[in-house]
Amino acid sequence: MKFKLLFALLFMGSATASAEQVVVQTHSISMVLNVEKGAQPQYVYFGSRLNAADLKNLSVPSGGRMDAYPAYGMNCPAEAALAMRHSDGNMSTALVATGVSYKQDGNANITIIHLKDPVYNIKVNMYYRAYNDVDMIEAWTDVKNEEKGTVTLTEFESAMLPIRRGDVWISHLYGSWANESQVSEEPLAPGEMVISNKDGARNSHTSHGEVMFSLDGKARENEGNVIGAAICYSGNYELKTVTDDTDYHYFFAGINPDNSEYHLAKGETFTTPALALTFSKEGLSGASRNFHKWGREYKLMHGNKVRDILLNSWEGVYFDINQKGMDQMMADIASMGGELFVMDDGWFGDKYPRKTDNSSLGDWVVDKNKLPDGIDGLLRDAKKHGVKFGLWIEPEMANTVSELYEKHPDWIIKAPNRDAVLGRGGTQVVLDLANPKVQDFVFGIVDNLMTKYPDLAYIKWDANMPIMNHGSQYLPMDNQSHLYIAYHRGFENVCKRIRAKYPDLVIQACASGGGRANWGVLPWFDEFWTSDNTDALQRVYMQWGTSYFFPAIAMACHISAAPNHQTQRVIPLKYRIDVAMSGRLGMEIQPKNMTEDEKALCRQAIKEYKEIRPVVQLGNIYRLQSPFEKKGVASLMYVDDAKQKAVFYWWKTETFINQHLPLIKMAGLDANKMYKVHELNRIDNKPLDCEGKSYSGEYLMSHGLEMPYNHSVDWGKQTAWSSRVLELSVE
């Protein structure tokens, strides 16, 4: 009898200690963890949504380390997600589960796994937000110090994900100023692969904080299993994939810890940025569609409202701003059907008028010599022409030649006991957003403009300098390592204040072009300037890479002059239009230098873009032929949710005699519906053979339509360039 009672008690104890299966899932994705009190949570599964029977039979995989949030110190050879120096100097940390809780957050469910160190009074929460209507899971952590003294964090990842080894490839974006978002694809090999940013202020020029893992060989666009990941952080990040002697790759993502150890005071909580994770069985484009839907619905400001077609003054006049010239440009964009005019750099400065890039940043007052009627006069002219008005600012920056710097030299980022490192124009400096007074000043720039000129519809927010010298004149010397993190906390505080007061204002994130294309920035911005390079051919490549993670509605794509101001390449207007129409269409040109025929072509393009704008900006992307595969052509398309309308793009990327281009098969259509074809932006003397005809979705997806390699135009108008935009509509 005693034996039976002892067995029963042992059985009850075993049942109490057994792991709880924690299932985090969206409509099409499941993430499964086993959580046992007193042990580290274990990853079990991440992929397509599982049914009840499969969930019941899952077990923790063997052949790898499945710890969901490994800490440093008790298994030193393995990579850690969290590392710290405790208040007594101990560098080891152990984390075990204490329980799981759940809560509703709007249209999402949040799962919280609670951890603690059994010896030290450190508590960690792992968060997973799963959306009900989009296939995205966001993961992040917070660390609370309840020790008697300060704890120093030296590693603080947002999350870790094990990925089973096999033929796994990684796709990621790299580049430079004017060459952003180039695509790199490579197989994961033993060792470490690190993608990081150390710019300080911007974070997506030379690399991107987003990756895709193709689990079954080299990535394909519309088939194959793909994991997508994006760190939602505006500052320095680090993405690290570790491949050792186990059966798994280990993917870590979070804030870059380099020179950023964080001193966590007693009672303080450190929260990491979210890592967005998705999975698709429909290749890279499928993962992209998941990011786009999630981004439009939950991240991007005004993500479901189509964007205005605008003219920006920069490449048209550069710093040569004047009242008459702005009026003329507004009249021109209005005559072509545009809806918004944006006055770029060069409009401000009193004691130091802004004539070049070496002065005046920080002095946000109108230069009355250039604009005697001020912003009021420009708003008056915009109203006269029936367009909205916006302007450019660079609020996080200053010049040493400015009234602001003369008054507040202590507001800039500068290494202690050293001269400031100067940037653009030989005088540019970065303001220290760790300082609450600087935060008030930056907020005040927007607030003062909107208070004085409430009809302002758009702001282009630029950031043209990285943090070059490490030092905060605000932070105490023993917390100088907080600079990078404190800067972006300050940036977030300012953005939240602006959006709380001005929720309807449209704001573009520009940072020497595409330096702020990141989901950590976009919750407060409507779009980003994709690149300072407006060359249409190079834009085909840059916009292709950008579309991996960001929807067309967020990508500012402008028609510019020829020869192009960056590459000096001469590309016909038709091609420039067709490339710009695949994103948020705008113009970056001096209209008075255009011929009447060119204006007429733009007028027609703008009219037709307005018809397809909802499909392009709110539709589902299907990338068909990558320019990076060097097959002489690039092609993609957008399809609306109902599969009633689609827009197909085709760009020839090179020209050779007797070249042979692949026939492009379409995707995303309803196989059983008939689609009528209409070419947009037509310049040919005769229509395409497919013009006005109807084809089944099945035919278009299994065969495709032949695209002529050249345009049928008069002899003197022939060029090496060819591009097509087709509108498909269900009959």
Side-chain angles (χ1 to χ4, degrees), residues 112 305 354 510 588 601 662 699:
I112 310 167
K305 181 181 179 182
R354 178 78 162 176
C510 180
E588 190 89 10
L601 184 57
Y699 176 82

Side-chain angles (χ1 to χ4, degrees), residues 574 679 682-688 708 710-713 724:
K574 152 75 172 168
E679 184 182 9
R682 177 183 151 194
I683 61 170
D684 295 57
N685 292 332
K686 62 178 183 179
L688 295 173
N710 302 99
H711 289 290
S712 174
V713 295
R724 305 286 174 176

